[in-house]
Amino acid sequence: MKKFKVSLLQLDIVFGDPETNYINVEKYIKKAVSDKPDVLVLPEMWNTGYALDKLGDIADKGGQRTKNFLSNLAKRFAVNIVGGSVATEEAGKYYNTSYIFGRKGNLISQYQKVHLFGLMNEDDFISAGSVQNQFVLDDVKAAGVICYDIRFPEWERKLMSKGQQILFVSAQWPAKRIEQWRMLLCARAIENQSFVVAVNRVGEAPKNSFNGHSLVIDPLGKILAEGTTDVEGVFTCEFDLDDLTEVRGSIPVFKDRRPELY
């Protein structure tokens, strides 16, 4: 059996206040490592929240602060970190950027959110990325997306088509659409025959409320763990990656695809 343990950091995010948010993230990372997880997973835009009209003052320039911060913590605790995402500035443009670090503090992958969410005015301030986010953690093939990306199954299928075993999702998904969050993530797990590890924030923002429901889902769509509604905290779940062999062997959806048609 190949066990893999994930710790989901379901956090409140203080709107437009990076200093407080970095302190809070560090506190919860220190708390989470006591469970001895293989990987820690953070929510979306945890450094600033969706304070998009303030990005000129608070976005992380070149992502440098976040990269140094997460790299040092990954190395200190010898843990992989899927760093959710943060607001960054690159050459005068702003991005919703994810960083993934290995146990030695090495930057494994970075990703700029591809699908921007108009209902939260993201596309008015943020530039879209165009690069896939595929990586390997402890010999486990994985991929990562951010929030609205999960509404585009063709994007996840492309990401998961090279044997990826886990799809990591970081989000600020509003409470009023939380049932869609659960259904979409279960569908992504089933259709890609993969584990899904998805972290959503809690708390209030000027225009939205967030109620967690961070999830770990198995390849058959069964929810293995779910973060308590409205509670900030760490939720840890261990699963067996060998389960993928049986699921993918019985219904070989990737082998049976017809890519010449779609």
Side-chain angles (χ1 to χ4, degrees), residues 71-115:
S71 175
N72 289 336
L73 288 166
K75 184 177 181 180
R76 177 180 173 184
F77 296 113
V79 65
N80 299 297
I81 298 178
V82 173
S85 74
V86 292
T88 62
E89 180 183 347
E90 301 274 356
K93 293 183 178 181
Y94 304 108
Y95 295 92
N96 186 338
T97 306
S98 178
Y99 299 109
I100 291 87
F101 288 88
R103 294 180 185 270
K104 296 181 180 180
N106 50 313
L107 180 62
I108 292 175
S109 183
Q110 62 184 53
Y111 169 69
Q112 294 167 335
K113 187 177 182 182
V114 167
H115 301 98

Side-chain angles (χ1 to χ4, degrees), residues 95-234:
Y95 295 92
N96 186 338
T97 306
S98 178
Y99 299 109
I100 291 87
F101 288 88
R103 294 180 185 270
K104 296 181 180 180
N106 50 313
L107 180 62
I108 292 175
S109 183
Q110 62 184 53
Y111 169 69
Q112 294 167 335
K113 187 177 182 182
V114 167
H115 301 98
L116 303 179
F117 191 50
L119 286 180
M120 290 172 69
N121 300 116
E122 193 173 28
D123 53 343
D124 291 334
F125 296 90
I126 301 285
S127 295
S130 58
V131 177
Q132 297 179 51
N133 188 24
Q134 297 167 319
F135 49 92
V136 178
L137 298 175
D138 296 347
D139 298 322
V140 177
K141 287 186 174 183
V145 296
I146 301 172
C147 203
Y148 190 44
D149 283 334
I150 68 171
R151 288 188 181 271
F152 299 88
E154 63 272 31
W155 181 237
E156 274 75 17
R157 177 51 56 90
K158 186 172 184 178
L159 289 171
M160 304 302 287
S161 63
K162 297 180 180 178
Q164 277 67 25
Q165 297 160 284
I166 305 173
L167 176 66
F168 290 98
V169 182
S170 298
Q172 289 202 36
W173 195 282
K176 59 188 174 183
R177 290 186 290 276
I178 203 66
E179 285 304 314
Q180 295 174 29
W181 159 260
R182 296 171 93 253
M183 289 187 284
L184 287 165
L185 289 170
C186 287
R188 299 296 85 82
I190 294 166
E191 68 200 10
N192 290 298
Q193 298 180 320
S194 69
F195 289 94
V196 170
V197 178
V199 179
N200 190 32
R201 66 162 291 188
V202 297
E204 301 294 322
K207 295 182 180 180
N208 286 288
S209 295
F210 303 91
N211 66 341
H213 288 280
S214 298
L215 296 166
V216 179
I217 305 167
D218 80 3
L220 295 175
K222 178 183 177 182
I223 293 175
L224 303 178
E226 184 165 3
T228 309
T229 302
D230 297 328
V231 174
E232 186 177 47
V234 177

Side-chain angles (χ1 to χ4, degrees), residues 58-79:
I58 62 177
D60 188 1
K61 305 296 190 292
Q64 201 57 52
R65 179 178 184 179
T66 304
K67 286 186 280 188
N68 291 338
F69 175 76
L70 294 178
S71 175
N72 289 336
L73 288 166
K75 184 177 181 180
R76 177 180 173 184
F77 296 113
V79 65

